Amino acid sequence: MPPLTLMVKPASGACNLRCSYCFYVDEMKHRETASHGFMSPGTSEQTIRRALVYAEGSLSFMFQGGEPSLMDAGFYRDWLRLVARYNNRRLPVSYALQTNGFALSDDLIAVLKEGGFLAGVSLDGTRDLHDNRRRTAQGAPTHDQVLFNIRRLKAAGVPYNILCVVDDAVAAQPEAVYHALRPHGYLQFIPCMTALAEGAAPALHPDSYGRFLVRLFDCYEKDLRAGRYVSINLFDNFIRMEKGLPPAACNMQGHCSPNYVVEAGGQVYPCDFYCLDPWLLGNVHTDSFYAIAASPLMQRFLAEGREHPEACRACTAYSLCRTGCKRDHQHGTNRLCAAFRHFHQERGEALTALAAVPITALPRQ
C-alpha cells in the first residue's frame, strides 16, 4: 500500500462563519443527513487504528470541515496521544489543519505547535474582498480577526499557508490580491465552484479566471526573477510539470487518486468533493481501509477519473490542465478549460522560460 493521506472532518459541516460561496452547504442538498455531528472519542480511535494498519511508508492526517477549530484542543491532544499509542511500526506521521482562522484559542495553537501541524488559513485577499464573502453567522466581518490570529500562529512558530477562494470579484483585482497576500509567502488560489444564489450564474467565469491567471502569473514571475520567491501552488505545479516532474496537486495529475475522507460519524468517502450519499464507501467502525480500497464503488470512482475526452487530449493546454478535477467536469470537459487555454496562449512560453530559473524555497513563516 502507498503512503496514506486521510482527510478528517471532526466537526462535519458545522462552522462559525457563513461564507457566501460555501460548497459544503451546497453538498448538504445531496445528503440524507445535513451534518454528521461531532466526532466521538471512539470514532477517533477507530480511524487512527485503521489508518495505522493500512498505511505504508508514512501517514498524514488533514483536519478539515466545516470548521475543525470547533473541536477543542483536547480533541487534537488526544489524537496525538492515540497515534503515539498505536503507531507500533513507527511510521512518520504528519498533520495539517485547514481553518477559517477566526477563533483559535491559545491552547489550540499550543497543540498545533506541539504536533507539528501545518495550518491552512483562509484569507480572501484584501479586507473588502474578504469581508464581502466571509462573515460570521451574525453578519460581522472577519478579516482583521483572521489577520490577528495569523500573527499569533507566527509568534507561536506554527507554519501556515494561505488559501484564497477566487470568484469574479477576486479575479478582477489580481494585483491587489497578490500584494495583500504576498507577505505570507505560501499561497493557494482555489477557483470558486458554486453560484452565489439559487439558479444564478457561477461565481467564477472561465474568461475572468483566465485573465486572473495571466495577471497573477506576471506578479509571480516578476518576484521570482528578482529573487523574491512567493509560492503560488498552481504555478509551482506548472513549473514542476515543465521540468518533467509529477505535480503535487491531485487535480493536476490527470487522474483521481484515493483521497479518503472520514466524516465525524466514521463514514468514509473517496474525496473531499464527493462526501455524498451515493459515494459512501464504508465506515471505520465496520470496514478496514483494505476493504474500502478494493470496493467496486471505489474502483468505479477511480475509473471515472481516468476518462479523458479526445477534445481534451487534442487541446494545446492539455499538458497543464490534464482535464482538472473530476468535480469540475461539465459535458465531459473542465468547466474552466477556456481559462487554461487563455493562460497557455498568453503565458505558455514565459512559463517554459521560467522553469529554467532556480527557485529557492522560502523559510516557513
Side-chain angles (χ1 to χ4, degrees):
M1 293 297 108
L4 176 64
T5 296
L6 206 60
M7 298 183 186
V8 182
K9 293 183 177 289
S12 193
C15 189
N16 48 2
L17 300 191
R18 297 296 182 269
C19 302
S20 59
Y21 50 63
C22 182
F23 83 87
Y24 208 97
V25 174
D26 182 62
E27 295 302 344
M28 294 305 182
K29 300 172 187 175
H30 305 282
R31 280 187 170 185
E32 294 177 3
T33 303
S35 174
H36 292 294
F38 293 89
M39 186 170 282
S40 69
T43 300
S44 295
E45 186 167 2
Q46 277 294 87
T47 300
I48 291 165
R49 293 180 66 179
R50 299 266 193 202
L52 284 167
V53 166
Y54 180 77
E56 291 289 346
S58 64
L59 172 61
S60 298
F61 291 112
M62 302 175 63
F63 296 93
Q64 300 187 17
E67 176 47 45
S69 69
L70 293 180
M71 308 299 289
D72 64 19
F75 172 85
Y76 296 101
R77 191 168 282 115
D78 286 344
W79 196 282
L80 296 174
R81 177 180 54 80
L82 288 168
V83 169
R85 176 193 296 177
Y86 291 115
N87 190 9
N88 299 318
R89 292 184 291 149
R90 299 297 186 264
L91 289 175
V93 180
S94 60
Y95 301 92
L97 182 140
Q98 183 174 324
T99 175
N100 59 38
F102 183 69
L104 303 178
S105 69
D106 289 342
D107 202 15
L108 178 57
I109 290 176
V111 174
L112 298 183
K113 172 63 176 177
E114 173 190 342
F117 280 70
L118 170 66
V121 184
S122 295
L123 187 65
D124 287 352
T126 65
R127 176 185 284 107
D128 288 346
L129 287 168
H130 179 98
D131 285 341
N132 189 44
R133 296 285 185 260
R134 305 182 64 82
R135 290 182 170 267
T136 67
Q138 295 74 37
T142 62
H143 178 272
D144 291 352
Q145 180 66 27
V146 173
L147 274 187
F148 173 73
N149 286 333
I150 286 174
R151 289 192 290 271
R152 293 172 61 226
L153 289 171
K154 289 179 66 174
V158 177
Y160 71 94
N161 292 347
I162 294 297
L163 310 174
C164 175
V165 175
V166 182
D167 60 9
D168 277 348
V170 168
Q173 301 184 50
E175 292 85 4
V177 168
Y178 177 79
H179 288 291
L181 300 181
R182 175 187 180 198
H184 303 289
Y186 290 85
L187 316 178
Q188 182 175 353
F189 293 93
I190 305 167
C192 189
M193 294 182 172
T194 58
L196 296 183
E198 189 73 29
L204 178 65
H205 294 78
D207 291 347
S208 300
Y209 188 51
R211 291 190 295 269
F212 171 79
L213 291 181
V214 168
R215 292 165 62 186
L216 185 68
F217 177 81
D218 289 345
C219 297
Y220 172 83
E221 180 185 27
K222 181 179 178 180
D223 270 348
L224 194 155
R225 289 190 177 279
R228 300 185 298 266
Y229 170 56
V230 176
S231 174
I232 295 181
N233 181 269
L234 178 67
F235 299 144
D236 288 351
N237 276 283
F238 281 169
I239 287 177
R240 285 182 61 86
M241 291 189 285
E242 286 285 340
K243 291 176 179 289
L245 300 171
C250 69
N251 65 334
M252 303 173 75
Q253 293 175 353
H255 60 83
C256 290
S257 301
N259 289 294
Y260 297 114
V261 179
V262 179
E263 258 283 7
Q267 300 84 352
V268 181
Y269 300 90
C271 172
D272 189 26
F273 299 133
Y274 287 85
C275 293
L276 311 171
D277 291 335
W279 290 105
L280 177 62
L281 300 175
N283 193 296
V284 296
H285 289 286
T286 55
D287 305 291
S288 71
F289 282 104
Y290 292 100
I292 288 170
S295 68
L297 189 57
M298 185 72 233
Q299 297 309 306
R300 181 181 137 206
F301 179 84
L302 297 177
E304 288 183 3
R306 291 190 291 267
E307 296 174 0
H308 292 194
E310 286 303 317
C312 290
R313 295 180 185 276
C315 177
T316 57
Y318 179 69
S319 62
L320 296 180
C321 168
R322 300 185 182 183
T323 77
C325 178
K326 184 160 71 81
R327 162 71 185 255
D328 283 330
H329 291 187
Q330 294 176 351
H331 311 295
T333 59
N334 190 325
R335 67 186 179 93
L336 296 172
C337 63
F340 292 109
R341 286 199 305 269
H342 178 74
F343 176 79
H344 186 268
Q345 177 181 347
E346 295 294 323
R347 295 295 183 269
E349 292 183 5
L351 176 67
T352 300
L354 196 62
V357 176
I359 297 177
T360 301
L362 291 168
R364 281 287 178 186
Q365 301 293 324

